Amino acid sequence: MNAPKLTERFEAALIYATRLHATQTRKLGNVPYIAHLLSVAALVLEAGGNEDEAIAALLHDAVEDQGGKATREEIRQQFGEQVVEIVDGCTETDITPKPPWLERKTRYIEHLRYASPSVRRVSLADKLHNARSLLAEWQQQGDVIWSQFNGSKEDTFWFYQSLVQVFRETGSDRMTEELSRVVSQLFQQG
C-alpha cells in the first residue's frame, strides 16, 4: 500500500483546526485540544486513511464544538464535499444546547451501522484515542474522572461496548481490536 500524499490542504486543515480549537482543552488532563485532533489524524493515517480522511480527522469535532452550521460551511468551502461528509458523519449534533446525552449516543451508534468506511475509520480513531485517554486518566486518578462527563460510568461503558460491537459488525481491524482491549481494561479495572 502506498502512503497517502499529504498536500497543502492537510497543512491548511492543521492550521485551521489549531486556530479553531485554540482555547479548547480536553476534559481530562487539561491538554490543548489539538493534541487529540493530531492523535486522531495519526491513527487514521496509520490505518491507511487518505488525505481527505486525515483532514476530516483534524476537523471531526469542529462543527459540534466550534460553530455549528457556519463552521460546517467553512469546512465545505475550504476542504470540499468529501471532507464535510466525513465530518458530518462524525458529528453527534450541531444544535446548541446539545440534546440529552443518551439520545445523542443512541442516534450516533445507529448512524455508524450504515456509515461509509471513511466515516467509520475517522470515528474509530476518535473513539480509540478517547478510550486510551480515559484509561490513562483513570489509572492516575481513579473513579473521580467520571464526574467530568455527562454520562455516568455505566452509561459510558454501555456506549463504548456498543461502539465496539458496531465496529466489529462493520469490519474488524487492528484499531477495532485495540479499542476492544482498552475498553475491557478500563471497565474491568473500574
Side-chain angles (χ1 to χ4, degrees):
M1 173 177 17
N2 292 333
K5 184 176 192 297
L6 298 179
T7 68
E8 312 76 43
R9 289 177 66 239
F10 182 83
E11 183 179 347
L14 181 55
I15 292 167
Y16 180 75
T18 302
R19 290 178 180 162
L20 197 60
H21 295 276
T23 61
Q24 191 177 357
T25 58
R26 297 277 283 167
K27 287 181 184 176
L28 297 174
N30 202 29
V31 174
Y33 203 79
I34 192 68
H36 169 63
L37 304 175
L38 290 167
S39 294
V40 174
L43 287 168
V44 165
L45 290 168
E46 290 168 2
N50 62 33
E51 184 178 43
D52 282 339
E53 292 168 350
I55 290 169
L58 292 172
L59 302 175
H60 75 273
D61 282 331
V63 172
E64 189 167 331
D65 294 345
Q66 298 296 330
K69 290 179 170 88
T71 299
R72 180 193 185 278
E73 184 56 25
E74 285 179 8
I75 292 169
R76 188 187 66 71
Q77 288 179 4
Q78 290 184 42
F79 304 105
E81 224 30 72
Q82 179 64 29
V83 170
V84 86
E85 285 175 17
I86 299 167
V87 170
D88 283 348
C90 294
T91 300
E92 289 182 9
T93 186
D94 62 1
I95 299 168
T96 305
K98 293 179 180 181
W101 186 90
L102 184 59
E103 177 186 323
R104 280 182 316 182
K105 301 302 181 188
T106 302
R107 192 173 29 227
Y108 186 80
I109 290 165
E110 191 56 31
H111 161 75
L112 277 180
R113 292 184 194 286
Y114 307 100
S116 71
S118 292
V119 168
R120 286 196 307 268
R121 181 177 290 119
V122 174
S123 176
L124 177 55
D126 173 38
K127 301 317 180 204
L128 174 56
H129 186 256
N130 285 342
R132 285 176 175 175
S133 298
L134 271 173
L135 179 59
E137 289 296 322
W138 184 84
Q139 289 171 333
Q140 289 182 4
Q141 298 182 36
D143 283 342
V144 71
I145 67 166
W146 303 111
S147 66
Q148 297 179 49
F149 293 93
N150 293 327
S152 68
K153 178 181 176 181
E154 294 74 21
D155 290 341
T156 304
F157 176 62
W158 163 82
F159 179 59
Y160 276 94
Q161 285 291 84
S162 299
L163 288 167
V164 168
Q165 181 181 350
V166 168
F167 288 128
R168 281 192 169 147
E169 288 170 1
T170 57
S172 190
D173 60 13
R174 182 180 56 84
M175 272 201 300
T176 304
E177 294 312 310
E178 184 180 352
L179 178 63
S180 179
R181 284 191 307 275
V182 170
V183 168
S184 292
Q185 190 176 1
L186 177 62
F187 291 101
Q188 284 174 358
Q189 292 180 357

